[in-house]
């Protein structure tokens, strides 16, 4: 019996008037996920808890079975580790965005138009690393672009340790009980990084981040990449936003030893890749997602099928619907869900034996198009396979999942032990 655990990033949504008051998942053509719904049990899940609109790292930690309040130490270290940087305890790591800033620190776009090419991002990152020097305190840094507008900043002090107890310069996110969450109300202005504790390490860390932000902005503003983008009518990637600082790597229990299984991970983004490595999964090297969803899904299914004999469990994280959710583009989100159903699940279901497989489909969080951000809306959940008695529901949607026998899981930490119990069940 194999477990295939598929997390579709930002899948959940809210009814949209232009879609006849359906969600993108309801409006999309999903015959393959609907087939699995007829074969399985449905429910809803708060991936962290009611009232919490989690960032992806917090949600993924939770839905892999780890209490985020116990194990989460900040997204920055997970991003750095996932991006292959040499992060050590006492270093300062932060998740970053290239963004577009006008006068008076007014942010025009937190993602620089979301059309930054890999080559543009690489050139900008190289120039920041070459031209910026930190002088307010003895320290050095490495800034790495990862995917699209995303990046990670790692600062190393030459005199003692730094502290992750600092605020975000990205105004869209804040910390709630130590967890990164999306703000409901956002003032689009670059925030000053502030110490969150009255310690020398926090004060120095905040000072270094502010220095980096100011100096990198000066470098980016006049870079030829941004001059060219401006001439072409594109947004400049002229400021780097930081958030979710961390000064240590989390120590998770090993998921393979804990459940006596062997996990492989196919994930697109550095944070999910970092978490997967830290919990003990084997990380499958895979090309980052492109604009060709069909090719991307084909590649991921081929990787899964090739590795199927070698592992008990697979954690597969598909980024797809999250970006159009953030952009408020419900038509594109609907199309992406349709394409994932056709090219991932459609292709996979013709090659696996459902009687020998436990298949779970869910999301790490909802990204409603009307909000353009993560929300505390519960996500749809489907579990199908040989040992599952079906609910008799014919569609995999938020609305139908509400009627499923799984009910509403109040925390994502419930799901992984539930799946392991089913997987190990005899007869």
């Amino acid at each position: 019996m194999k477990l295939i655990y598929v997390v579709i990033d930002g899948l959940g949504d809210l009814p949209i008037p232009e879609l006849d008051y359906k969600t993108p998942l309801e409006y999309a053509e999903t015959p393959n996920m609907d087939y699995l719904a007829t074969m399985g049990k449905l429910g809803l899940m708060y991936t962290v808890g009611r009232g919490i609109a989690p960032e992806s790292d917090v949600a993924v930690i939770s839905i892999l079975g780890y209490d985020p309040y116990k194990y989460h130490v900040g997204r920055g270290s997970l991003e750095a580790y996932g991006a292959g940087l040499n992060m050590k305890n006492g270093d300062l790591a932060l998740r970053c965005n290239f963004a577009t800033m006008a006068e008076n620190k007014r942010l025009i776009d937190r993602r620089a138009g979301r059309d930054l090419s890999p080559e543009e991002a690489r050139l900008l990152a190289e120039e920041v690393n070459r031209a910026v020097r930190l002088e307010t305190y003895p320290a050095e840094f490495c800034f790495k672009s990862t995917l699209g507008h995303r990046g990670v900043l790692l600062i190393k002090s030459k005199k003692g340790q730094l502290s992750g107890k600092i605020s975000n310069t990205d105004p869209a996110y804040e910390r709630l009980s130590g967890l990164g969450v999306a703000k409901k109300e956002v003032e689009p202005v670059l925030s000053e990084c502030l110490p969150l504790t009255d310690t020398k390490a926090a004060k120095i860390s905040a000072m270094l981040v502010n220095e980096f932000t100011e100096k990198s902005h000066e470098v980016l503003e006049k870079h030829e990449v941004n001059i060219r983008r401006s001439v072409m009518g594109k947004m400049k990637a002229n400021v780097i936003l930081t958030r979710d600082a961390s000064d240590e790597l989390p120590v998770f229990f090993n998921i393979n030893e804990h459940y006596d299984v062997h996990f492989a991970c196919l994930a697109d983004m550095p944070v999910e890749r970092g978490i997967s490595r830290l919990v003990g999964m084997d990380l499958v090297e895979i090309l980052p997602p492109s604009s060709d969803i069909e090719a991307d899904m084909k590649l991921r299914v081929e990787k899964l099928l090739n590795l199927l004999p070698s592992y008990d469990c697979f954690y597969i994280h598909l980024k797809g619907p999250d970006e159009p959710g953030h952009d408020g583009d419900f038509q594109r989100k609907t199309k992406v869900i349709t394409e994932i159903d056709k090219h991932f699940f459609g292709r996979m279901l013709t090659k696996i034996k459902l009687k020998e497989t436990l298949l779970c489909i869910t999301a790490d969080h909802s990204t409603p198009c009307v909000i353009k951000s993560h929300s505390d809306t519960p996500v749809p959940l489907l579990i199908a396979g040989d040992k599952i008695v079906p609910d008799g529901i014919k569609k995999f949607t938020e609305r139908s999942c509400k009627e499923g026998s799984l009910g509403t899981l109040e925390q994502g930490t419930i799901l992984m032990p539930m799946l392991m119990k089913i997987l190990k069940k005899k007869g």
Side-chain angles (χ1 to χ4, degrees), residues 342-392:
K342 180 178 180 180
H343 298 300
F344 183 82
F345 291 104
R347 188 180 298 272
M348 180 185 70
L349 288 175
T350 63
K351 302 294 184 179
I352 66 169
K353 296 178 180 178
L354 202 55
K355 285 191 175 183
E356 299 174 2
T357 308
L358 179 63
L359 185 57
C360 178
I361 306 171
T362 190
D364 53 348
H365 54 76
S366 296
T367 310
C369 293
V370 67
I371 298 174
K372 298 184 180 181
S373 181
H374 298 184
S375 76
D376 60 355
T377 312
V379 300
L381 172 64
L382 184 160
I383 303 175
D386 182 44
K387 299 174 182 177
I388 301 299
V389 179
D391 286 339

Side-chain angles (χ1 to χ4, degrees), residues 43 50 83 108 133 174 201 206 300 306 309 312 325 345 356 369 408:
R50 288 181 186 260
I108 307 302
R133 291 294 177 268
E174 62 183 345
R300 281 149 181 77
N306 288 340
D312 305 306
F345 291 104
E356 299 174 2
C369 293
T408 300

Side-chain angles (χ1 to χ4, degrees), residues 11 31 67 96 107 157 168 183 187 202 238 345 414:
L11 177 65
D67 181 351
C96 301
L107 295 174
S157 170
N168 301 333
K183 288 184 181 178
E187 178 70 18
N238 65 353
F345 291 104
I414 298 170

Side-chain angles (χ1 to χ4, degrees), residues 37-173:
T38 67
M39 303 291 289
K41 293 183 180 295
L42 305 182
L44 294 172
M45 176 172 63
Y46 290 97
T47 58
V48 176
R50 288 181 186 260
I52 298 173
E55 289 199 54
S56 294
D57 59 319
V58 178
V60 168
I61 287 171
S62 183
I63 63 177
L64 290 180
Y66 300 85
D67 181 351
Y69 292 99
K70 178 180 179 181
Y71 290 98
H72 186 261
V73 295
R75 181 168 181 166
S77 59
L78 300 172
E79 293 272 358
Y81 191 75
L85 298 183
N86 184 26
M87 166 75 189
K88 294 182 178 179
N89 290 348
D91 295 342
L92 180 65
L94 303 101
R95 159 66 197 268
C96 301
N97 274 18
F98 282 110
T100 306
M101 186 171 71
E103 294 180 358
N104 301 319
K105 299 185 178 181
R106 198 83 181 168
L107 295 174
I108 307 302
D109 193 292
R110 289 183 52 259
R111 304 174 184 88
R114 209 194 277 281
D115 61 357
L116 200 62
S117 71
E119 179 66 7
E120 288 176 323
R122 183 186 66 80
L123 290 171
L124 292 174
E126 284 182 355
E127 185 62 12
V128 167
N129 286 316
R130 187 196 69 79
V132 174
R133 291 294 177 268
L134 298 176
E135 299 171 308
T136 55
Y137 192 79
E140 57 188 11
F141 75 90
C142 175
F143 174 71
K144 183 175 182 177
S145 63
T146 53
L147 185 65
H149 58 273
R150 305 168 187 86
V152 60
L153 173 63
L154 181 65
I155 302 177
K156 292 177 174 286
S157 170
K158 297 178 182 179
K159 293 176 60 178
Q161 296 188 332
L162 298 174
S163 171
K165 300 296 191 295
I166 57 176
S167 65
N168 301 333
T169 66
D170 187 337
Y173 294 92

Side-chain angles (χ1 to χ4, degrees), residues 13-52:
D13 215 297
L14 297 169
I16 296 170
E18 293 88 345
L19 299 180
D20 299 329
Y21 292 93
K22 296 179 179 180
T23 68
L25 178 59
E26 286 181 298
Y27 204 80
E29 296 179 17
T30 55
N32 297 295
M33 287 189 283
D34 292 343
Y35 166 73
L36 289 170
T38 67
M39 303 291 289
K41 293 183 180 295
L42 305 182
L44 294 172
M45 176 172 63
Y46 290 97
T47 58
V48 176
R50 288 181 186 260
I52 298 173

Side-chain angles (χ1 to χ4, degrees), residues 213-270:
T213 302
E214 181 180 345
K215 289 184 174 179
S216 60
H217 168 60
E218 293 173 357
V219 170
L220 294 170
E221 178 65 34
K222 59 188 180 184
H223 195 279
E224 61 182 17
V225 165
N226 280 320
I227 294 172
R228 187 162 57 246
R229 285 176 65 85
S230 184
V231 170
M232 296 171 64
K234 294 183 176 182
M235 294 182 182
K236 291 182 178 180
N238 65 353
V239 70
I240 296 170
L241 304 180
T242 62
R243 70 181 198 254
D244 301 317
S246 176
D247 58 32
E248 63 179 322
L249 287 166
V251 179
F252 298 106
F253 61 77
N254 185 290
I255 196 168
N256 298 317
E257 295 174 0
H258 189 74
Y259 294 113
D260 191 24
V261 293
H262 195 187
F263 254 102
C265 167
L266 286 80
D268 296 338
M269 308 299 291

